[in-house]
Each structure stands twice: as structure tokens, then as C-alpha cells.
Amino acid sequence: MIAAIPQSWTGRVLEQGRLGIPVNDRWKLEAYEQYQARLRAPEYPCFFGQTGEARGEMLYTFIAEGGLSEFVTNMRQFVSLIGAPPHERSSLVAFFEPDPSIADHTSFVARFWQVLQFLHEHDRDPATDRTPDHPLWEFAFEGCEMFVVGASPTYRRRRSRNLGPGAVLVFQPRSLFLDPATSQPIAASVRHRIHKRTLAYDGITIHPDIGFYGNMSNREWKQYALPDDNEPETGACPFHTRGSS
């Protein structure tokens, strides 16, 4: 018998590698409440995220200061859960405790890549066949490729990337970008619709590094922790796969 998705959001919280541990800390409750309020706004541009939240498909985890080791445990459980119903359409929303040392956007971007690097260094099955400069590279953990959305209160203009009082990382398995009925990539028309909604919501043009997975000129990593302006990324990716220089 296939288990049902818990209706209460707290039943979908991963902590200590388990689902459904009660949430009592005030910062955690505030982080979820603000995130939920933003996604429930009719004008929020990513209707995939809206739909997943409304259907109760999202899983959550909370990372307190110094809690990256537990984050690794919860990421492993997340990858295990999405391998079968009822969580095969789930993403993981990781809420980070507000950190006063992240006072500007540069600090957030640096922390974002530190977190992904930490996960990679503790990956028991690390993907090393591609580097971030490959058009088909995507962040992977324990064999699961995921697009990672970096959100932070340090986004002032690109407000669709501001999801609450602390940093938020959303891990979206690449399988979610395939039509479940046809196994084909989601149509470009749908992605263009999201871009149009994002333009209206943010009031700033779509960043020039936003592209489509598989295009030879596209680099996924440049879209993870976007700048808060429209300057294209010209440097190298801060993330290094094991064995790369």
C-alpha cells in the first residue's frame, strides 16, 4: 500500500533523517509562514512552485547555524524518498536560520556555494563526469540531479528570489522538468510564460544568464544564485567537482 502525502506541512518536514518531527522553534515557523505567503500570492511567477505547494508535494528542512552535517543526513533521506510514490514529484525547500553575517548579496552568493560544496564533499556517490562548464552539468547529490534555486532577503530588485527572513535553497530534481505523461522536456512556451510572469513580478528584465537546459551556450550554475542586477556572470563557477582543479 502506497503511503499518502501528509496534509499538514509539518508532516513533510525532514529532521534527523525522518519525516514529521514537530516544528516548535519560532524562526522555523516564521520562515515557513513567509515562504508560504509569497508562494500563495496569485502573481507569484513560478506556478510550478505554487502548484507543488498547493498539492502538498513539497518537503522541507531547516538548517540552524552549524547544522550542515544534519543537512547532509536530510538530503540523503530526500533522495531516497523521491525514488517512489508518494514523493516522486517532490522538491526540497531548505530554510536557513537568519544569519546577520550575510549582510549583502555577495555574502549570500558565497554562502550558497559553500553549502553546495559541503554537500558534494559528503556525497557518497559524487558525480564527477562533468564540470559546471559543461552545458549538461547540474548539481547532483547521491546520484540525483537537481536544479537549485537560491533565494535570500539580500535580493532587493529580483524579489521573486526573496522568500523570507533567511536564505532558502530549493532543490528541484531534474525529473520534474519532464512531462510525466510523455517524458519529454516541458515545452518552451511554458517556460516563456514563467519568464513573462517573472518580468511583471520583479519589475526587472530577465537575467541574461537565464537559459534552457541542454542548449550549448547554457550554463545551469549561473542561474542558481543570480545577481540582483542584470550583469552577466563572467567568472568561473565557485563549485568544484571532486578531482577537478
Side-chain angles (χ1 to χ4, degrees):
M1 182 176 179
I2 297 174
I5 295 177
Q7 294 301 307
S8 169
W9 74 272
T10 56
R12 289 177 272 116
V13 172
L14 270 170
E15 188 173 336
Q16 301 171 15
R18 293 181 291 161
L19 274 178
I21 294 179
V23 178
N24 298 311
D25 294 335
R26 186 67 242 170
W27 77 263
K28 297 178 181 180
L29 296 171
E30 289 178 353
Y32 177 75
E33 288 165 2
Q34 292 195 33
Y35 154 84
Q36 184 191 52
R38 284 164 168 79
L39 259 69
R40 283 190 172 181
E43 67 274 16
Y44 188 77
C46 183
F47 44 78
F48 287 118
Q50 284 183 322
T51 301
E53 180 66 22
R55 291 177 176 173
E57 294 172 340
M58 311 299 272
L59 302 178
Y60 314 99
T61 192
F62 295 89
I63 299 92
E65 182 179 357
L68 287 182
S69 293
E70 184 176 331
F71 188 25
V72 171
T73 300
N74 293 332
M75 281 288 292
R76 287 174 179 161
Q77 182 65 2
F78 169 64
V79 172
S80 174
L81 286 169
I82 62 176
H87 298 295
E88 73 274 22
R89 300 295 296 174
S90 294
S91 296
L92 179 69
V93 183
F95 299 98
F96 286 75
E97 186 174 11
D99 184 347
S101 71
I102 303 179
D104 55 42
H105 197 63
T106 299
S107 299
F108 161 69
V109 173
R111 182 65 56 83
F112 174 93
W113 288 109
Q114 288 170 0
V115 171
L116 291 198
Q117 194 68 52
F118 186 92
L119 292 174
H120 180 64
E121 295 301 327
H122 292 80
D123 190 339
R124 298 175 299 189
D125 183 24
T128 59
D129 55 328
R130 299 176 184 138
T131 69
D133 196 44
H134 193 287
L136 295 180
W137 179 86
E138 196 82 277
F139 175 74
F141 187 78
E142 307 254 324
C144 178
E145 290 187 324
M146 309 176 223
F147 186 88
V148 189
V149 177
S152 166
T154 58
Y155 282 103
R156 307 298 185 190
R157 287 172 282 186
R158 205 171 297 284
R159 67 189 189 103
S160 59
R161 291 280 184 124
N162 183 338
L163 295 177
V168 179
L169 273 59
V170 184
F171 294 81
Q172 301 174 306
R174 175 128 295 280
S175 58
L176 297 184
F177 298 93
L178 300 176
D179 187 310
T182 66
S183 298
Q184 296 300 309
I186 293 171
S189 60
V190 176
R191 293 175 291 184
H192 285 303
R193 182 182 167 198
I194 293 176
H195 290 179
K196 185 177 180 180
R197 287 168 58 92
T198 302
L199 174 61
Y201 186 87
D202 287 349
I204 182 174
T205 55
I206 300 299
H207 194 276
D209 288 332
I210 294 292
F212 299 127
Y213 181 77
N215 287 359
M216 291 305 295
S217 61
N218 181 63
R219 297 295 181 270
E220 291 287 279
W221 71 269
K222 293 184 179 184
Q223 304 173 60
Y224 285 6
L226 286 172
D228 200 30
D229 55 29
N230 271 336
E231 290 297 315
E233 176 61 65
T234 58
C237 181
F239 181 89
H240 298 283
T241 57
R242 288 195 215 171
S244 64
S245 57

